[in-house]
Amino acid sequence: IPKLFWTGNKVDLIELIYALHTSNVINSGTADIKQIALTFETILDMDLGDYYRTYLEIRSRKIRRTKFIDKLKDSLLEHMTDMDA
């Protein structure tokens, strides 16, 4: 299995982790945030630090609270549009 590395911003990964958690798409919603964060830390061999504090910072954003999730959506839609052309 090839080694994977998160090359984006740590805050972005934490935003993604919280989005997955609140969407109840991991273990039918029974996995807690700690389990999900630890799994990502293990898979990507990184330390997320105090991810709850980072989440509070994400929540306190005045504009575009889901900045990374919005970027993911825009990137996927653009890719699909390009593939259709």
Side-chain angles (χ1 to χ4, degrees), residues 6 8-15 17 46-49 54 58:
W6 182 262
N9 186 313
K10 190 183 289 191
V11 175
D12 293 345
L13 179 57
I14 292 169
E15 183 180 322
I17 289 168
M46 67 182 298
D47 179 12
L48 291 174
T54 303
I58 292 168

Side-chain angles (χ1 to χ4, degrees), residues 3-6 10 13 37-48:
K3 187 79 173 144
L4 299 176
F5 300 96
W6 182 262
K10 190 183 289 191
L13 179 57
L38 180 58
T39 299
F40 273 88
E41 285 181 322
T42 302
I43 291 169
L44 300 172
D45 191 26
M46 67 182 298
D47 179 12
L48 291 174

Side-chain angles (χ1 to χ4, degrees), residues 14-84:
I14 292 169
E15 183 180 322
L16 177 62
I17 289 168
Y18 271 88
L20 292 169
H21 177 255
T22 58
S23 298
N24 295 322
V25 295
I26 298 179
N27 292 354
S28 300
T30 62
D32 65 28
I33 194 70
K34 185 175 182 178
Q35 291 172 305
I36 298 169
L38 180 58
T39 299
F40 273 88
E41 285 181 322
T42 302
I43 291 169
L44 300 172
D45 191 26
M46 67 182 298
D47 179 12
L48 291 174
D50 188 350
Y51 48 86
Y52 182 70
R53 181 184 174 115
T54 303
Y55 173 68
L56 293 178
E57 292 170 8
I58 292 168
R59 282 186 52 205
S60 69
R61 291 176 182 160
K62 299 294 182 201
I63 301 171
R64 293 184 64 201
R65 292 171 95 183
T66 57
K67 185 169 40 175
F68 183 64
I69 301 300
D70 297 344
K71 179 182 173 184
L72 288 176
K73 178 185 171 189
D74 292 344
S75 295
L76 180 57
L77 289 172
E78 182 179 333
H79 177 74
M80 289 176 174
T81 300
D82 290 347
M83 296 297 292
D84 291 342

